[in-house]
Amino acid sequence: MHESLLFARTLCGHYSNRDQAQADPSKFAHINIFFLPLPWEVFQGPGFYSEQSYDHDPWRPYRQGVHRLREGQAGAHVVENFGLSNPERVAGAPQHRSLLNEIKSDRLQPRCGCSMHFKGDAQRGYEGSVEPGKGCLVPRDGKPTYLVSEVFVDQTSWSSRDRGFDPDTDQLVWGSEHGLLKFERLAFLADHLQDDWLVGLSD
């Protein structure tokens, strides 16, 4: 099986940090993360839709993204990031997959400098981080910050941490004050994918 397909099958899933939230509710909210494979037609190649929501409010996700998969250097898996022009029309797609048909490539907004680069394999898991540089800018309180994002995903879990830094001083401005968010995998969501889904994969 193609390495990119093994990565996609590992990445796509439903993850929950319920145990972490129950153990320390004052520090961690109960969050669900979904990564779904996109219909091939969206990019004429492999891609994903992602959604993060608080468990008590699944129909109003606080983060949504569309991602195109491509091959990077030295065997890396590059996940490009795009914003949706109409995110509310796709909210809830993990429960109603037909909503993914609302995603059109000409309505996506590229998030320059925000690609995630993953390395590893399906047995040991994959470590991901934002592409080098300080190009992934996220506004916070009216001022730009650059994003540093770290992810680890394997067959049973997902852990991540997002932080924002001042572009001029490199001082931490925002981010998880209590360490990594730790999720357990509740479901695999891409076991049906075959190599033909990778047609159009670019480097």
Side-chain angles (χ1 to χ4, degrees):
M1 187 179 296
H2 196 286
E3 278 297 323
S4 292
L5 190 61
L6 290 171
F7 170 71
R9 286 186 170 191
T10 303
L11 181 68
C12 289
H14 174 197
Y15 308 89
S16 168
N17 73 332
R18 178 182 55 201
D19 289 350
Q20 185 182 46
Q22 288 181 344
D24 204 341
S26 66
K27 295 180 180 178
F28 299 100
H30 183 183
I31 295 168
N32 288 288
I33 295 177
F34 294 90
F35 260 83
L36 305 173
L38 280 178
W40 181 89
E41 291 74 16
V42 174
F43 286 120
Q44 301 286 295
F48 312 102
Y49 169 74
S50 67
E51 192 172 285
Q52 296 185 30
S53 60
Y54 296 112
D55 189 70
H56 68 273
D57 199 6
W59 299 105
R60 291 196 298 173
Y62 65 85
R63 182 179 297 174
Q64 294 167 264
V66 174
H67 317 274
R68 180 167 54 196
L69 177 63
R70 63 179 178 84
E71 294 180 320
Q73 297 180 346
H77 306 283
V78 178
V79 179
E80 298 176 333
N81 280 292
F82 298 81
L84 289 153
S85 60
N86 54 345
E88 67 284 345
R89 297 187 65 175
V90 190
Q95 290 75 34
H96 297 282
R97 302 291 177 84
S98 62
L99 292 173
L100 295 176
N101 295 321
E102 296 287 334
I103 299 175
K104 308 297 181 183
S105 61
D106 59 355
R107 300 178 191 168
L108 299 176
Q109 302 151 352
R111 292 175 174 165
C112 297
C114 296
S115 295
M116 294 289 292
H117 291 225
F118 287 85
K119 293 185 176 181
D121 59 49
Q123 285 70 44
R124 295 176 296 144
Y126 299 91
E127 292 186 23
S129 58
V130 174
E131 63 185 273
K134 304 176 184 179
C136 188
L137 297 178
V138 179
R140 182 60 59 103
D141 298 329
K143 298 180 180 180
T145 64
Y146 68 87
L147 176 67
V148 173
S149 184
E150 304 160 273
V151 174
F152 177 79
V153 59
D154 62 15
Q155 302 299 310
T156 62
S157 67
W158 170 292
S159 58
S160 60
R161 180 171 62 170
D162 291 341
R163 293 173 293 165
F165 294 83
D166 185 293
D168 297 321
T169 66
D170 295 323
Q171 294 296 307
L172 178 68
V173 177
W174 61 269
S176 175
E177 300 175 2
H178 308 294
L180 292 170
L181 292 172
K182 297 181 180 180
F183 298 80
E184 294 181 11
R185 182 188 295 274
L186 300 185
F188 288 91
L189 299 178
D191 284 349
H192 61 287
L193 295 181
Q194 300 297 327
D195 282 341
D196 58 357
W197 183 75
L198 296 175
V199 173
L201 181 70
S202 62
D203 55 20

